[in-house]
Amino acid sequence: MNRLLTNYMSSVLKKGSLEIIDAKGRLHRFGDGSGDTVRVRFTSKAAERGVMLNPELKLGEAFMDGGFVIEKGSIYEFLAVVLQNIGGTGRSWWMRAIYRVRVWTRRFRQWNTPFRARQNVAHHYDLDGRLYSLFLDSDQQYSCAYFETADASLEEAQVAKKRHLASKLALQSGQKVLDIGSGWGGLGLYLADHADIDVTGVTLSEEQHKVSNARAGEKGVADRTRFLLKDYRHLTSRFDRIISVGMFEHVGVGHYREFFEKTRDLLADDGVMVLHAIGRFDLPGETNSWIHKYIFPGGYIPSLSEVIPEIERAGLKITDIEILRLHYAETLREWRERFMARRDDALKLYDEVFCRMWEFYLAASETAFRYQDMMIFQIQLVRDQHALPLTRDYIWHAEEALRHRDHAGQRPSLKIAGE
């Protein structure tokens, strides 16, 4: 194996047991021998050289095309043993150089005009809908769940997420609610089913638009719940409440001011907005190059230090911030295990390279939240600080009321804010 790669692995991998068979068939051992052994093999010199020079891009590509194979364990276990040792700051000097160049040029890749935004969304969200049904919960929630207990199921945790977010909106009867990035409609339909409100969802995915409106019709709420195939930047109406879950990651750092200025204009004077998005604990950075190329073109995960100044410049007021630390790691574990259990079904929809890509995506994402300083932030925003009660007790009361009704399977007839 290349001496540079050997020296690097020897210097950083102190715990665990990793065996690498190089392209010449030689075995190299790393770690202290603890835990289960993970054994991987390079099948070509090109794959070995590519991973050495640019692992963030080339490792995933080599796994996809067979240049890097797992002989013992899984790709998740390989990433876990490596990232437990290096975390988010274990780049070599040449890796840091590549990363710095990407940070300097990131605004170009995140230049998400309405046209490019729709292209980016179609790349990921307009895949065959049956693929997502293989691993998501029954409500097709494709964002971080909220695990109230360690033994909660994925379905329970996704309902808890919707309940948690709804409570922060301080909903009242008759309000107009906007859901930016409404997905397959699950959150909007939950809000409409639990309060006497009018919901508008916007998405750029044709597949999600079709499915969400069909679901609204099936539930008999299409008269007050509709989903539009529209960029939020093209809306003109004002709303009492705005919620956005898992969409902000697609905005791009150069568009943050535009996002918050537009949502400020869409929010009523006494309105409340809740933003739920992936963030990073560490300093501003750049999107992993493999993720950008194959999974989320145009996407970026921000630090709070990049988000809060733009909120302040837009004239919005932050009234609450909550950080969910390992909830997405647990969500992704559920998704990964479900996908792997039904991988043969995915192979009927797409080819082997696609299935390896998806396996790598889920494994890499889970380990990023466990070992690389990724988290979820929920920020509550207002235009007028008098729009909410004096203390946070209303969130707890609303959540308790919704929990009772979720468990009882009942739809409330009264407002849920501050009960």
Side-chain angles (χ1 to χ4, degrees), residues 21-36:
I21 302 174
D22 65 23
K24 293 182 178 180
R26 296 173 299 192
L27 177 65
H28 306 263
R29 292 187 173 89
F30 304 96
D32 61 3
S34 60
D36 295 332

Side-chain angles (χ1 to χ4, degrees), residues 249 256 284 317 319 325 390 408:
E249 300 89 324
Y256 289 169
K317 297 176 175 62
T319 47
R325 292 170 292 106
L390 191 59

